[in-house]
């Protein structure tokens, strides 16, 4: 007899949405095309030899503990390092009781969503926003409401209007999800004065801010390096997430979150049920990379690596983009968002672009209101500056020819 699996699965399973970006990945990683698709760090920035040496030393010397289960909150020495880092970023009173190490920030986003949101609650998110983040929020049954951004990040007057609308409908807005630095997918950075306004809204409206900050250390100018995390302005209303994925290696799946300690305690309990703890071995490697100064010493090189690629991309766009095309000017991170004339649809154009030897991610899945059909996420993290010039020219030629 044939089993009806649909019938056996939960309503949660039925509500799951695949990540539209990840399903494009096989197309985006073809070796014969220049890809602005994937948003991963360049493998050229991974300290392979150093980590190989550390891994063998750590396992030999401390195998009895690092190959074991460990505390749900994470290894105390690494938690302490994270607390020191957060204090250096202005979170003056950050203590280990507020910190949880997670299996990537992606797990942090999943746990936070489950702790904060009930089905039907409203989460306010940027237009556009990171798909992994909006999926985590959606999985908790939240309704996602988009807030406009301009070149300075979330538009606070629009945020206030959306909150008023939600309340007028009798719904409960619970949180604002934001990526304030060099956002994925737009590369936009939230301006200093907007940071103050945003935390004021959270305080006045009794909302939590989920501040997802994976690119914080990948800034290209001093001013961008000094922008205050929202969590330093108003720790009582902000859950802050950071990760070692972009400054060390995403394969180590080690990240952290800092939340008011009452929330952190609940997240710890939820994590216990999810995975007992994140990998002790991965955490030990990250700790070793911090202790020996490996992470710190490589940061200037990594920033320069991405800065030159970002410059190559914006220069190539200046040279080749069709009139009517606009793009963001990132001050850090991995991404430029390009916007064309309304009639051009990025999804429809993709086969022709791939045919011409260049790939990108259509922007629409990043917009929770399904706008953005004429936007293109262009990651400059993977390709060489030469390939970036070639690829942007090829893409702009396709747009001029077909668009
Ligand atoms: C905005 C944002 N948040 C979170 C993540 C997930 O990072 P992690 O590797 O720590 O899970 C990413 C990864 O690309 C991201 O761009």
């Amino acid at each position: 007899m044939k089993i009806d699996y649909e019938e056996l699965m939960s309503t949660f399973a039925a509500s799951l949405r695949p990540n539209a970006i990840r399903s494009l990945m096989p197309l985006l990683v073809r070796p014969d095309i220049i890809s602005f698709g994937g948003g991963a760090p360049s493998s050229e920035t991974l300290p392979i030899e150093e980590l190989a040496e550390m891994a063998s030393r750590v396992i030999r010397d401390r195998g009895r503990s690092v190959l074991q289960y460990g505390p749900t909150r994470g290894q105390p020495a690494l938690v302490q390092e994270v607390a020191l880092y957060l204090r250096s970023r202005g979170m003056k009173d950050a203590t280990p009781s507020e910190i949880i190490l997670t299996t990537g920030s992606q797990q942090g986003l999943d746990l936070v969503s489950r702790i904060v949101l009930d089905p039907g609650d409203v989460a306010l998110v940027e237009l556009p926003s990171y798909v992994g983040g909006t999926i985590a929020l959606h999985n908790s049954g939240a309704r996602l409401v988009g807030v406009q951004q301009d070149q300075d990040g979330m538009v606070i007057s629009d945020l206030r209007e959306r909150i008023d609308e939600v309340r007028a409908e009798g719904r409960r807005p619970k949180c604002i999800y934001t990526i304030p630095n060099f956002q994925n997918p737009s590369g936009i950075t939230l301006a200093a004065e907007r940071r103050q306004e945003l935390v004021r809204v959270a305080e006045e409206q009794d909302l939590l801010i989920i501040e997802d900050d994976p690119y914080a250390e990948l800034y290209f100018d001093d001013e961008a390096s000094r922008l205050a995390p929202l969590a330093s302005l108003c720790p009582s209303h902000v859950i802050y997430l950071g990760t070692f994925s972009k400054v060390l290696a995403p394969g180590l799946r080690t990240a952290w979150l800092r939340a008011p300690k009452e929330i952190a305690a609940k997240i710890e309990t939820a994590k216990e049920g999810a995975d007992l703890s994140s990998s002790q071995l991965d955490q030990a490697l990250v700790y070793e990379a911090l202790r020996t100064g490996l992470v710190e010493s490589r940061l200037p090189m990594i920033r320069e690596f991405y800065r030159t690629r970002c410059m190559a991309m914006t220069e190539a766009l200046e040279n080749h983009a069709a009139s009517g095309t606009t793009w963001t000017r990132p001050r850090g991170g991995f991404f430029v968002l390009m916007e064309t004339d309304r009639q051009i649809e990025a999804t429809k154009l993709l086969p022709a672009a791939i045919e011409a030897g260049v790939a990108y991610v259509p922007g629409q899945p990043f917009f929770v209101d399904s706008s953005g059909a004429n936007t293109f996420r262009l990651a400059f993290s993977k390709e060489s500056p030469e390939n970036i010039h070639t690829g942007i020219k090829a893409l702009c030629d396709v747009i001029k020819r077909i668009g």
Side-chain angles (χ1 to χ4, degrees):
M1 211 176 83
K2 208 161 165 279
I3 302 182
D4 181 355
Y5 292 112
E6 295 288 329
E7 195 267 327
L8 285 171
M9 285 190 280
S10 64
T11 37
F12 169 69
S15 78
L16 286 172
R17 286 186 197 153
N19 183 326
I21 313 304
R22 283 180 80 86
S23 53
L24 274 177
M25 279 306 150
L27 265 184
L28 305 179
V29 296
R30 267 179 36 189
D32 55 326
I33 55 176
I34 294 175
S35 181
F36 304 136
S42 164
S43 42
E44 287 176 55
T45 67
L46 304 177
I48 293 172
E49 286 308 316
E50 293 90 334
L51 285 175
E53 184 276 319
M54 280 176 194
S56 82
R57 181 156 45 80
V58 162
I59 293 175
R60 211 172 294 117
D61 296 351
R62 294 168 42 211
R64 281 169 187 272
S65 65
V66 301
L67 297 177
Q68 273 296 359
Y69 296 110
T72 304
R73 273 177 184 258
Q75 281 175 18
L78 185 53
V79 171
Q80 189 59 45
E81 283 294 323
V82 170
L84 288 175
Y85 169 74
L86 294 178
R87 282 183 221 153
S88 78
R89 301 240 6 249
M91 291 164 236
K92 296 236 164 13
D93 303 319
T95 62
S97 65
E98 300 169 331
I99 295 166
I100 313 263
L101 302 187
T102 56
T103 304
S105 278
Q106 192 59 45
Q107 185 190 41
L109 291 169
D110 178 67
L111 295 172
V112 168
S113 301
R114 289 199 274 150
I115 290 305
V116 170
L117 293 158
D118 283 316
D121 284 344
V122 169
L124 296 132
V125 307
E126 289 154 344
L127 288 170
S129 184
Y130 168 59
V131 172
T134 55
I135 286 179
L137 297 164
H138 164 84
N139 285 350
S140 288
R143 207 183 114 212
L144 307 188
V145 172
V147 180
Q148 295 299 329
Q149 290 193 94
D150 62 18
Q151 73 278 5
D152 288 330
M154 202 180 263
V155 176
I156 305 298
S157 55
D158 195 54
L159 172 66
R160 287 187 183 280
E161 274 175 40
R162 297 287 84 76
I163 293 173
D164 290 347
E165 266 172 28
V166 167
R167 290 205 193 280
E169 288 166 12
R171 289 179 184 265
R172 168 85 171 98
K174 276 274 184 76
C175 62
I176 304 165
Y177 171 56
T178 178
I179 304 155
N181 292 313
F182 335 125
Q183 196 223 31
N184 181 3
S186 68
I188 290 172
T189 295
L190 186 65
E193 59 286 1
R194 293 235 183 130
R195 294 178 188 233
Q196 303 282 355
E197 292 173 48
L198 183 53
V199 299
R200 207 170 307 131
V201 172
E203 283 176 316
E204 282 170 21
Q205 299 278 344
D206 206 11
L207 300 173
L208 284 168
I209 295 175
I210 302 171
E211 180 178 21
D212 187 10
D213 201 11
Y215 302 99
E217 289 300 325
L218 303 186
Y219 49 79
F220 304 151
D221 65 72
D222 284 349
E223 206 188 310
S225 78
R226 287 194 294 270
L227 288 164
L230 302 166
S232 71
L233 303 176
C234 186
S236 58
H237 285 68
V238 181
I239 300 174
Y240 181 87
L241 298 104
T243 180
F244 293 101
S245 286
K246 317 293 176 182
V247 294
L248 186 58
L252 293 174
R253 305 308 298 129
T254 301
W256 72 86
L257 61 84
R258 190 227 64 99
K261 66 178 187 311
E262 295 78 358
I263 294 180
K266 284 286 180 202
I267 293 173
E268 178 182 17
T269 310
K271 184 171 162 60
E272 234 167 47
D275 65 358
L276 301 178
S277 81
S278 299
S279 158
Q280 298 302 297
L281 178 57
D282 288 347
Q283 290 176 36
L285 284 177
V286 170
Y287 178 69
E288 201 58 14
L290 290 172
R291 189 188 67 80
T292 57
L294 179 71
V295 176
E296 186 72 33
S297 67
R298 299 177 81 259
L299 276 173
M301 176 278 285
I302 294 177
R303 290 180 191 124
E304 190 54 19
F305 183 95
Y306 293 118
R307 194 184 68 82
T308 50
R309 282 156 177 78
C310 179
M311 272 173 51
M313 186 167 276
T314 49
E315 254 172 46
L317 285 165
E318 306 279 355
N319 292 340
H320 303 295
S323 67
T325 304
T326 58
W327 57 91
T328 55
R329 279 147 176 95
R331 298 172 64 193
F334 291 174
F335 307 104
V336 164
L337 193 78
M338 179 174 83
E339 187 168 345
T340 54
D341 283 342
R342 291 250 166 250
Q343 69 275 15
I344 298 174
E345 284 195 30
T347 308
K348 289 198 181 138
L349 212 74
L350 190 57
I354 288 175
E355 184 70 20
V358 59
Y360 57 85
V361 176
Q364 193 163 28
F366 298 99
F367 291 78
V368 296
D369 64 355
S370 300
S371 62
N374 58 330
T375 61
F376 299 62
R377 190 189 74 173
L378 305 173
F380 48 78
S381 51
K382 176 171 177 281
E383 300 290 348
S384 67
E386 297 70 34
N387 277 357
I388 289 174
H389 276 282
T390 312
I392 290 292
K393 176 167 186 324
L395 175 58
C396 293
D397 286 348
V398 171
I399 292 172
K400 286 175 199 161
R401 184 160 45 87
I402 300 181

